[in-house]
Amino acid sequence: MDEPTPTESPDGRLIRLVRQLTVESDRFAEMLGEAHDMHRTDLNALVVIMDAERRGQPISPSQLARSLHLSASATTALLDRLEAIGHVNRGRSTTDRRRIELAMPDRARELGRHFFAPLAAEYARVWSRFSPEQRAVITEFLTATIEATVTVRGGISAESRNGPPAG
Amino acid sequence: MDEPTPTESPDGRLIRLVRQLTVESDRFAEMLGEAHDMHRTDLNALVVIMDAERRGQPISPSQLARSLHLSASATTALLDRLEAIGHVNRGRSTTDRRRIELAMPDRARELGRHFFAPLAAEYARVWSRFSPEQRAVITEFLTATIEATVTVRGGISAESRNGPPAG
DNA sequence: TCGTATATTTCGAGCATCGAACTATATTGG
DNA sequence: CCAATATAGTTCGATGCTCGAAATATACGA
């Protein structure tokens, strides 16, 4: 169990833990990419492509670019890399010949699932202790925290347009 | 309140939310860096340096390198960038002349605090609804999730050393 | 004392990302 | 109907972060 530090406020403690979770998750993804000779962005792209496939809505390069906040040309290079190692196939859309649809070969899909299965299993193990009531609290917390992050993020765009604050 | 999707397991739902939190936080940090003309790594470095200062234990370039998982030379370049925009000062340690100690000018420290204050305020606002009992559940959840992530991460190193699994 | 280790920087090279320019295709408006 | 405009994706040259090797300065250990 995490121990509060002597001068830490209750909110400060939660902030510290949320931050630590994002830092550790960040490092997890980084190491996963390194272990499979993929740049971090490559791994992020695979996740996005896999999710789109799972939803039955194959994604295009421009959608991927928007999702990853990359330029079109950087996305082209990224897809070149992924295609070169057999993780993605490009196919011309049948409904709009300007569009490309991204698909994953079976083997890549299996490999992608394998990437994340150990973490899901370990999460299931440590989370088995939480009751449905506790899960509801956790869900509410996560949802609120996500929304708060998104809200403040909107303020960054507005702030940067108006210039930095006075020192 | 987040709604469960029809085919989602309770664990699957929490996994989705945790992942969304890390994605949104990631994007938050990215935008913060962009808003202040700093590369993502630069911002990460500032956080590490600020934390070290707050603990009264100024950090050295090699400690920073270890913390950020960068090479020594990449860290030098990073510090060059931060020094150039006045966010960091290098000072030779008085106890070991090989070492450099990193310090932040007052203005940079204030600016750094300003970066994160809006998010802390919004978190405090949305978290005010949680009772001490609920916070204990949340704390336990976050701690367990962090530890699970770190545990599985250890397995990645071992796995990559033994090569990837059979398809 | 001297070999070894540690700390940091410099240097040249690799690689992800960018914007501009380009080609192909679809849409819109007169 | 057709020209103008918009959209989709790639190529190209340039930028900037990161790396490993090499170098210099300092500390440690036998």
Side-chain angles (χ1 to χ4, degrees):
Chain A
M1 173 58 103
D2 180 72
E3 299 298 334
T5 65
T7 59
E8 200 169 38
S9 68
D11 281 347
R13 187 175 174 200
L14 287 183
I15 288 175
R16 173 165 61 80
L17 287 174
V18 166
R19 209 180 100 213
Q20 195 179 349
L21 177 59
T22 60
V23 164
E24 301 297 348
S25 297
D26 209 48
R27 181 67 189 135
F28 175 86
E30 208 168 77
M31 285 180 70
L32 199 55
E34 279 164 19
H36 296 277
D37 287 314
M38 280 195 285
H39 191 264
R40 178 67 190 286
T41 319
D42 296 9
L43 195 63
N44 290 345
L46 278 181
V47 171
V48 172
I49 295 167
M50 276 177 76
D51 284 350
E53 258 208 352
R54 189 182 305 125
R55 288 195 310 266
Q57 299 172 324
I59 198 169
S60 70
S62 46
Q63 286 170 320
L64 181 63
R66 274 195 296 276
S67 195
L68 298 176
H69 305 282
L70 289 179
S71 70
S73 51
T75 308
T76 296
L78 163 69
L79 290 170
D80 287 348
R81 296 196 298 271
L82 290 181
E83 209 173 15
I85 59 176
H87 279 18
V88 164
N89 288 329
R90 284 169 162 112
R92 189 61 63 176
S93 163
T94 51
T95 56
D96 180 345
R97 289 166 57 82
R98 293 172 301 180
R99 280 175 56 95
I100 292 193
E101 278 172 357
L102 305 173
M104 294 185 80
D106 284 347
R107 186 167 189 282
R109 199 179 298 118
E110 288 306 311
L111 190 62
R113 275 199 268 267
H114 168 80
F115 283 176
F116 302 106
L119 188 59
E122 185 67 13
Y123 279 170
R125 193 183 70 80
V126 302
W127 291 345
S128 60
R129 76 186 75 162
F130 296 110
S131 68
E133 290 74 33
Q134 290 176 322
R135 285 169 184 261
V137 171
I138 293 161
T139 296
E140 192 181 345
F141 169 78
L142 289 174
T143 306
T145 306
I146 290 164
E147 284 168 7
T149 307
V150 172
T151 297
V152 177
R153 234 176 40 202
I156 295 179
S157 301
E159 176 179 309
S160 66
R161 279 201 210 106
N162 296 332
Chain B
M1 171 60 102
D2 181 72
E3 299 298 333
T5 65
T7 58
E8 201 170 36
S9 68
D11 281 348
R13 186 177 176 198
L14 286 184
I15 287 174
R16 173 164 62 80
L17 287 173
V18 167
R19 210 182 97 212
Q20 195 179 349
L21 176 58
T22 60
V23 166
E24 301 298 348
S25 297
D26 209 47
R27 180 70 189 132
F28 175 85
E30 209 170 73
M31 286 181 70
L32 198 55
E34 279 165 19
H36 296 278
D37 288 311
M38 279 195 286
H39 191 265
R40 178 69 187 286
T41 319
D42 297 9
L43 195 63
N44 290 346
L46 278 182
V47 171
V48 173
I49 295 167
M50 276 176 77
D51 285 350
E53 257 208 353
R54 190 182 304 126
R55 288 196 308 269
Q57 299 170 323
I59 198 169
S60 70
S62 46
Q63 286 170 321
L64 181 64
R66 273 195 297 276
S67 196
L68 299 175
H69 304 281
L70 288 179
S71 69
S73 51
T75 308
T76 296
L78 163 70
L79 291 170
D80 287 348
R81 295 197 295 273
L82 290 182
E83 208 172 16
I85 60 177
H87 279 18
V88 164
N89 289 329
R90 284 167 161 114
R92 190 60 63 174
S93 163
T94 51
T95 55
D96 180 347
R97 289 165 57 81
R98 295 172 302 179
R99 280 175 54 97
I100 292 195
E101 279 174 359
L102 304 173
M104 294 185 81
D106 285 348
R107 187 167 188 282
R109 198 179 301 116
E110 288 305 310
L111 190 61
R113 275 200 268 267
H114 168 79
F115 283 177
F116 302 108
L119 189 59
E122 186 68 13
Y123 278 168
R125 195 183 68 81
V126 303
W127 291 346
S128 60
R129 76 185 77 162
F130 295 111
S131 68
E133 290 74 35
Q134 290 177 321
R135 283 167 184 262
V137 170
I138 293 161
T139 295
E140 191 183 345
F141 170 78
L142 290 173
T143 306
T145 306
I146 289 163
E147 284 167 7
T149 306
V150 171
T151 297
V152 177
R153 233 174 44 198
I156 295 179
S157 300
E159 175 179 310
S160 65
R161 279 204 208 101
N162 295 334

